[in-house]
Amino acid sequence: TPSPTFSWSWKTKGYVTPIKSQGSAGTCYEHAAIETIESAWAIHKNGTLKVLSVQQGVDCSRRNEGINGGFVAQSYQDAIETARCLESAYPYTAKKGVCRKCTAAVPKLAKMVQVKQYDENAILQALLINPISVSITGSGKEFQFYKSGILDFKCGTDIDHDVVIVGASSTNNGTPYWE
């Protein structure tokens, strides 16, 4: 008998902003945090997506290392302490700049919740609330030369990249995958 299919995507529901490029800067941590905040704000507060400033976190965080890397949890902590402004008011440059003030587009983040590591059921339950950021091994050739489709390989445990999960599905011949 065929496997039951499951499909959930915040992107198809209209709650994910367009993909952003971090360029050659090590700012994936801030991109992942901001992209989940954008979606969560739209889903839980007002239904409207706002493209928020990644550069604000790059320039203003005292916890992370700007274009030299950082941690998503520390970006969330920054967003708990400081409201986020729009990308249009504080554009991304992929360079470390001087922190400057801007008008808040969304208020301070109320809280962050960490999902149990390697628990796919917990990840799926969190995903049904809003998109989530995850840390992965992204330095392998599979990611470096990725063009499209579903990646299916053992990616390792040497964490070096942050991304956002916006969906999950088992519609690929019944094989589950994260979007």
Side-chain angles (χ1 to χ4, degrees), residues 41-112:
W41 175 256
I43 293 164
H44 302 291
K45 295 297 181 185
N46 71 355
T48 303
L49 278 170
K50 295 181 178 188
V51 180
L52 301 176
S53 175
V54 170
Q55 193 67 40
Q56 179 187 11
V58 172
D59 291 348
C60 301
S61 178
R62 293 187 194 132
R63 294 178 173 85
N64 286 314
E65 300 296 320
I67 62 169
N68 297 317
F71 297 95
V72 173
Q74 292 175 184
S75 292
Y76 288 135
Q77 190 59 45
D78 289 339
I80 288 170
E81 295 172 7
T82 306
R84 301 285 105 177
C85 60
L86 293 173
E87 170 75 18
S88 59
Y90 203 142
Y92 185 66
T93 65
K95 298 175 184 168
K96 176 73 170 153
V98 176
C99 182
R100 56 188 175 85
K101 293 191 183 285
C102 56
T103 303
V106 298
K108 295 175 184 177
L109 190 65
K111 66 179 179 177
M112 70 169 172

Side-chain angles (χ1 to χ4, degrees), residues 101-156:
K101 293 191 183 285
C102 56
T103 303
V106 298
K108 295 175 184 177
L109 190 65
K111 66 179 179 177
M112 70 169 172
V113 176
Q114 290 188 308
V115 178
K116 186 177 178 188
Q117 189 173 2
Y118 306 117
D119 185 337
E120 289 189 3
N121 188 49
I123 292 170
L124 180 58
Q125 294 307 309
L127 174 63
L128 295 175
I129 298 169
N130 52 253
I132 61 172
S133 60
V134 294
S135 299
I136 63 168
T137 303
S139 59
K141 66 181 188 286
E142 295 84 1
F143 279 103
Q144 301 298 317
F145 298 106
Y146 174 79
K147 293 202 187 302
S148 65
I150 298 170
L151 288 175
D152 186 11
F153 69 100
K154 293 189 187 272
C155 62

